[in-house]
Every structure is written in C-alpha cells, then in structure tokens.
C-alpha cells in the first residue's frame, strides 16, 4: 500500500496535469473563435501589428503571447505527468516536494492576481504538496 505522502504528492501532480491540459484547451478554444467585440478585435490587431525582436528574431506580439501560453500549458501538464509517474521516488525526496509546493503556491498567487481559472487546482496542488511535506 502506498503511503499517505505519496498519495498526496500524486494528487498534487494530477492537479498540475489538469491545470496544464485545461490551459491548452482554453488556448485552443480561443484560437478557434473569431474576435467579436470591437475592443477585442482592436487589441488583437494591435498585437499582430506590434513586433518584438528577441535574440535577433522579429516576432508579432500576438504570436509570442500565444506561444508562451501553449508552452506554459504543455510544461505544466508534462511536469505533472512526470511527477505522477515518478511519485514513489519523488515523494520520498523532501526537496522535490518542497519545490513543488513552492511552485504551486507561486502559481496560486498568480492565479488569484491575474488569471482566476486555475485557483482551485493550484489550491489543491499547494495543499497536497504541503501536506505531503509535513506528513513525512
């Protein structure tokens, strides 16, 4: 039977997977729908028109925004999946559990401040990783 700390670690990791997949799904839905309000159309047009140069490459601001969004969802989902798969080993390492708890807490703070949808999943992840750390 798995220990309580390992189960809590896995639940926290699954919360990351769900958050990452949800992020990717929302991004895909937003890409597939046309901008309707005039203000939204104007903002997207301005983002397409504004170019930024990074490391010698010129990119539209909208492309950078969408790329970072997809990368964020992918990284969170895949890191969560890696933690789920390696939970027996990782849950036994206090430094890894503490790092996951700290990252979840930081993401929870960002969600509360700027992007409410992942508040619940990051609250679950923070609580689970924190309890896994304390319950060792």
């Amino acid at each position: 039977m798995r220990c309580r700390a390992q189960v809590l670690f896995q639940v926290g990791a699954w919360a990351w997977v769900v958050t990452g997949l949800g992020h990717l799904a929302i991004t895909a839905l937003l890409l597939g729908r046309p901008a309707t309000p005039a203000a939204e159309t104007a903002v997207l047009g301005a983002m397409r028109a504004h170019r930024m140069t990074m490391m010698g490459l010129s990119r539209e601001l909208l492309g950078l925004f969408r790329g970072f969004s997809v990368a964020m969802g992918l990284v969170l989902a895949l890191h969560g999946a890696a933690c789920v798969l390696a939970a027996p080993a990782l849950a036994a390492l206090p430094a890894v559990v503490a790092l996951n708890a700290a990252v979840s807490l930081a993401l929870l703070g960002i969600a509360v401040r700027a992007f409410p949808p992942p508040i619940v999943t990051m609250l679950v992840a923070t609580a689970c990783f924190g309890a896994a750390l304390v319950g060792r």
Side-chain angles (χ1 to χ4, degrees), residues 120-131:
V120 173
T121 55
M122 286 301 99
L123 188 58
V124 168
T126 301
C128 287
F129 288 131

Side-chain angles (χ1 to χ4, degrees), residues 29-67:
L29 287 172
L30 291 176
L31 284 175
R33 73 170 178 84
T36 47
E40 185 177 344
T41 303
V43 168
L44 293 176
M47 289 177 79
R48 279 187 192 94
H50 183 73
R51 298 191 70 83
M52 292 183 63
T53 301
M54 293 174 50
M55 298 188 315
L57 300 172
S58 179
R59 297 287 186 257
E60 293 178 359
L61 186 57
L62 183 59
L64 289 172
F65 175 78
R66 287 178 173 163

Side-chain angles (χ1 to χ4, degrees), residues 13-133:
W14 274 112
W16 282 11
V17 171
V18 168
T19 305
L21 292 177
H23 192 83
L24 290 170
I26 289 170
T27 301
L29 287 172
L30 291 176
L31 284 175
R33 73 170 178 84
T36 47
E40 185 177 344
T41 303
V43 168
L44 293 176
M47 289 177 79
R48 279 187 192 94
H50 183 73
R51 298 191 70 83
M52 292 183 63
T53 301
M54 293 174 50
M55 298 188 315
L57 300 172
S58 179
R59 297 287 186 257
E60 293 178 359
L61 186 57
L62 183 59
L64 289 172
F65 175 78
R66 287 178 173 163
F68 284 129
S69 186
V70 169
M72 175 66 188
L74 192 60
V75 166
L76 196 56
L78 293 178
H79 181 73
C83 285
V84 168
L85 294 173
L90 296 179
L93 300 172
V96 172
V97 181
L99 179 63
N100 284 1
V103 170
S104 295
L105 184 60
L107 292 174
L108 175 61
I110 292 167
V112 167
R113 178 86 172 125
F115 191 65
I119 288 174
V120 173
T121 55
M122 286 301 99
L123 188 58
V124 168
T126 301
C128 287
F129 288 131
L133 187 62

